[in-house]
Structure formats: C-alpha cells, structure tokens
Amino acid sequence: MSTVTESPATAPGTTTRNEDPQLRMTGRQKLVLTLLLGAQFMIAVDFSILNVALPVVGEGLGFSLSHLQWIATSFALAAAGFTLLFGRIADLFGRKRLFLGGMALLAASSALGGFAGSPEVLLVARVLQGLATAAVTPAGLSLLTTAFKEGPLRERALGLNGALMSAGFTAGAILGGLLTELLSWRWAFFVNVPVALLVLALAPSVITESRPRALGSARAGGTPSAARPRLDLPGAIAVTGGLLALVYGLTQAGETGWTEPTTLLALAAGLALLVGFWFVERRAAAPLVPVSILKRRTVIWGNTAGLIAFVTETSLVFLLTLYLQEVLGYSALSTGLAFGVLGVGTVLGGTLGGRFVGRYGNLRTIVYGGVVQALATASLVALGASGGWIWLLLAATFVGGVGNMLVIVGFMVTATSGLPDAEQGLAAGLATMTQQVGITLGIPVMSALVTARMGATGPTGSEAVLSGVTFAILVNSLLVLAGSVLAALFLRKPSVAS
C-alpha cells in the first residue's frame, strides 16, 4: 500500500524524467509558467516592499507613529481574509477571469497608492492591493497546478513558484530600500503598474481558461451546460469574517499586548466564526470548503507544515531586522541588502525542491527541510553585539532559506495533490490562505516574545533588544522543529482519501 508521501517519480518501474519526453515542458508550458511566476513574484514583492520605507511614508503623508503599522496591516487583512473566498470563486466562475480581474485591480490600486495625498487614500489603496492579491494568488496557483499534471513537472513548477515567492519577499525589502533612497517611496507603488499591464497584455492569448465543466450536474442528473455555479454565502461570510477578526486580533496583540480587551475580543470573535464555519459547511448544499477536503490528511497536515514554515521564516526576517538596525546600527538599505543572501538561499531551495520531492517524497522533503531550517535558526542564538557576527547571520540565513524552501515546496505539493481539477482552486486558496495568515501571524507573536523578554531582563537599550531577539529566535527554531515532528508523525500514515 502506498503512503501519501510517495511521489509518482519514485514508483518502481517508471522511467526517469530525463528518459521520458512527456516529462519535458512544452514551449507553451514554459511561456505560461514564466507569465504566472512573474505575476506571483510581483505579488510577493508587495508584501514587503513598503516595510523598510514605513517611516518615510509616514513623514510624507502625516501618519502618526501609532498608526503607521496600518499601512502593512490593511494590506494583510484584505489579503488573508478574502483568499479562500476568491479561491472558490475562481473554481466556480473561471480562474483566468479572476486572475485577469485581480491584475487589473492591482494596477489601478498601485497607481492610486503612488498618487495618494492623504493617509486615508493610501490605506484605501493598500486594502485594494490586498484584495487584488487575494484574487491573483489562488487563481494563479490553481492555473499553474491545472496546467501541469501531478508528477515531476508540477513539482518543478511548484518549486519554482515557491522559490520566486520567497525571493520576492526578500527582494521587496531590497527594492523598497533602493527606490525610497534613490527616487521616492511612491515608486514602491508605481513599479507594479507597468508589470501588471504587461501581464494583462500577454495573459489572454497565453493562458487558457481553467474551469470545471460541470459543478453539481452529476448529482442533479443534468448535463454540464445545465449546471449553475452556486456560492456558499453563509460559509463565505463566516470564514472571511473569522479570518479578518483573527488577523486583526493578532496584529493588535503585537502592537498593544495580548491582554487588551480589543485583542481578546477580536481573537474570540475570529475563533468563534471559524468554528461556526465548520458547522455551516457540514450542512451546506454547496459548501465553500467541503468537509471531506478538510478531513484529508494531506490537506490538514500539509497546510500545518506550510503555516509553520511561513510563520517562522518571515518573523525571523523581522527579528533580524531588529538585530541589524537596533543592535548593529545598520540603515534600512543595508538591512535589506543583508537579506539578499537569504533570497539566494530560498531561490536555491525552491529550485532543488521539486527534484527533492521527486526523489525522496513529500514527507522527507518537509522533515529534512525543517530540520535544516531549525538548526540554522538555532545557531543565531549565539549572535552578539559586535559587527563580526554578521557573518554568522549571513551563513545561517542562507542555509535556513534553503531548508525553509524545501518545506514550502513539500507543503505545496502535498496540499494540492490527490484532488481533481475541479477542486484545485479551493486547494490553492487554502494553501495561499495558509501562506498569508502565516506571514501575518508570525510577526506579532515574535514581537510579543521580544517585548516580554525585554521587560523581564535587567539590561536596557541594545542589550535588552539583543536579549529579546535571541530568546524569540530560540522559540522560532523550536517551533520549526515541532513542525517537522508533526509532519513525521501524521503524514507518514496511508490515507484512503488521498
């Protein structure tokens, strides 16, 4: 009996990808891959391009220091809250259509942000950018998975997708620093416009529509043409509201603390709505997320591994930003450039990830990658206050970036495998939601750990920051290790549904 961790490429008796010409990408597939990866890379850049420029943006538009974080939070709320809904809309009404609509919205909202003359207009632009991200990312990922059948080609495509998305997160910090210092923070918005317009010009003739021919017609006994798409509105309201409240509560926890009434109320409301979503889906005639999918071991534990990978690596960037700027005295631009080594590691890990999955299987890729990431992160606990420690930081982030990308590729392959094309948008939406919630969740949690450690120790100033950062880094590495253990325990068992 096979297990969920086996890959078709490793099955006895199959030919290797070098021997079978059907395992090579066609020219059209390469073009589709290039276009979709370019769009996903740009989306990833948007997650971090304004991070190092926030103080400059605040001064330019009159944001108070206490409200500055809403430039990032407004984007994250929309991106994380609406991803699952848009992933299902892509399944029902057409992935190509949603992808193009999201790219058009991204171009328009980026232009609005670049011309913003007040905090209110900028925040509206960031919300619209978040909505565009929530549409483009799952639609693009499901177009990618339906363009390549399960096996080595899809593994390679998902590996490149993961590599470019992680590299985009790092490149955003570098590009944001360069544009802000050399031109203006407004170019962090304007740079999206020509890229989005280029994708809009090429995509209609390159990408073919990916949409189930019939949804529900078999149960109704009708023909594919008679089937009408149905959207589960109660489920959509419950999951979107739950995610919005949860992300808002986590953000408030990092800003004002975990015991504040606003934080507790938002977190409680978010959890209540998500629990309610489960019960709604059990009774819905056309559920947003069929309960059968939520019970799949590959979906549950694959997304758990992905969540931990995104929580830990993106929050590690935040912790090391504090270290570089508050302890070593680096500028925003120098900090962004220091993370270039991490970007190289993630690109290498993503490039190797598909081959690693094909040779060793999903489970080993996730576990081995997690162990490498955990050990590399744990070594950063030794960081000190002198400038010479930068070499440890560069080496550890490079190695950790490779390990992190192996986990992410393994997670993407696991979470989108064994499902029919009709559910690929849903699977992509779940995987994308995992990514965006992880990115949003990690920073407030680690920020709270740093603050708590600083308050419990005697030193002040940079010494206190160093103590808080190294403590949070230790927790970060233990969390990665825990994710590897969970994957080893729960993904190794065979699953009839998979």
Side-chain angles (χ1 to χ4, degrees):
M1 180 180 294
S2 63
T3 68
V4 296
T5 61
E6 290 178 349
S7 170
T10 61
T14 58
T15 58
T16 65
R17 67 189 67 186
N18 290 328
E19 296 171 347
D20 191 346
Q22 293 183 353
L23 298 183
R24 300 193 188 111
M25 291 188 189
T26 64
R28 185 177 185 82
Q29 283 180 319
K30 290 179 181 179
L31 189 57
V32 170
L33 183 64
T34 301
L35 190 65
L36 291 175
L37 292 186
Q40 300 285 35
F41 178 79
M42 182 180 65
I43 290 292
V45 166
D46 274 348
F47 271 106
S48 58
I49 194 169
L50 283 180
N51 287 357
V52 299
L54 287 181
V56 180
V57 177
E59 292 175 6
L61 291 181
F63 276 91
S64 66
L65 186 61
S66 61
H67 293 144
L68 197 59
Q69 54 96 18
W70 280 104
I71 298 175
T73 301
S74 58
F75 177 92
L77 279 170
F82 289 89
T83 294
L84 186 57
L85 173 60
F86 283 150
R88 191 53 177 161
I89 289 175
D91 277 342
L92 295 176
F93 301 105
R95 293 148 188 167
K96 177 181 177 181
R97 184 182 303 174
L98 186 66
F99 177 79
L100 294 176
M103 291 302 299
L105 180 60
L106 182 64
S109 58
S110 296
L112 178 65
F115 288 114
S118 67
E120 293 78 12
V121 174
L122 185 74
L123 291 179
V124 169
R126 288 296 279 168
V127 168
L128 293 176
Q129 280 188 320
L131 290 173
T133 298
V136 170
T137 308
L141 184 58
S142 57
L143 285 169
L144 191 66
T145 56
T146 52
F148 299 93
K149 295 181 179 180
E150 279 193 38
L153 284 185
R154 181 183 290 186
E155 291 158 8
R156 190 186 310 168
L158 289 174
L160 291 172
N161 179 74
L164 283 179
M165 292 203 73
S166 284
F169 188 83
T170 305
I174 300 173
L175 185 61
L178 286 171
L179 290 174
T180 301
E181 187 163 308
L182 299 178
L183 297 172
S184 163
W185 62 263
R186 296 182 182 276
W187 281 95
F189 287 96
F190 288 144
V191 71
N192 286 333
V193 178
V195 179
L197 293 178
L198 179 62
V199 172
L200 285 170
L202 296 177
S205 59
V206 173
I207 300 174
T208 56
E209 181 59 278
S210 171
R211 175 182 173 183
R213 294 180 180 177
L215 292 168
S217 59
R219 180 172 56 187
T223 63
S225 60
R228 291 185 178 182
R230 298 175 61 187
L231 184 62
D232 174 25
L233 288 179
I237 293 171
V239 72
T240 302
L243 288 171
L244 287 173
L246 186 62
V247 172
Y248 175 78
L250 290 169
T251 304
Q252 287 296 102
E255 181 184 3
T256 63
W258 292 88
T259 59
E260 289 295 315
T262 303
T263 300
L264 295 175
L265 182 62
L267 291 175
L271 291 174
L273 284 168
L274 292 177
V275 171
F277 170 69
W278 170 269
F279 289 101
V280 168
E281 297 309 278
R282 291 181 63 181
R283 301 188 178 190
L288 184 68
V289 183
V291 175
S292 60
I293 291 181
L294 294 177
K295 290 181 178 179
R296 284 178 177 266
R297 182 177 289 108
T298 52
V299 172
I300 295 172
W301 296 107
N303 278 282
T304 299
L307 179 67
I308 292 174
F310 282 107
V311 163
T312 52
E313 194 67 11
T314 54
S315 63
L316 182 64
V317 171
F318 164 74
L319 295 173
L320 294 179
T321 298
L322 290 180
Y323 172 73
L324 290 170
Q325 295 190 9
E326 301 297 329
V327 178
L328 298 188
Y330 276 40
S331 66
L333 178 58
S334 298
T335 300
L337 292 174
F339 288 127
V341 176
L342 170 62
V344 174
T346 57
V347 171
L348 178 61
T351 303
L352 297 176
R355 298 177 182 178
F356 212 89
V357 168
R359 183 170 183 179
Y360 299 107
N362 304 353
L363 172 61
R364 290 184 179 180
T365 301
I366 292 173
V367 173
Y368 292 167
V371 170
V372 169
Q373 181 188 345
L375 293 176
T377 302
S379 70
L380 293 169
V381 174
L383 289 174
S386 66
W389 289 102
I390 184 64
W391 298 108
L392 171 62
L393 185 149
L394 295 176
T397 53
F398 173 78
V399 175
V402 174
N404 178 256
M405 276 311 307
L406 291 178
V407 178
I408 290 175
V409 173
F411 139 66
M412 285 290 187
V413 173
T414 301
T416 58
S417 296
L419 295 171
D421 281 354
E423 296 176 350
Q424 282 299 321
L426 173 58
L430 285 168
T432 306
M433 182 189 71
T434 294
Q435 168 192 305
Q436 294 175 348
V437 170
I439 291 172
T440 307
L441 183 148
I443 292 177
V445 170
M446 292 299 161
S447 176
L449 289 174
V450 172
T451 302
R453 180 69 173 182
M454 289 174 63
T457 58
T460 58
S462 62
E463 291 185 14
V465 174
L466 179 60
S467 176
V469 166
T470 52
F471 172 71
I473 286 174
L474 177 61
V475 174
N476 189 295
S477 65
L478 293 175
L479 186 58
V480 178
L481 192 59
S484 297
V485 172
L486 288 173
L489 289 175
F490 296 106
L491 275 178
R492 71 165 60 243
K493 297 178 181 179
S495 174
V496 176
S498 299

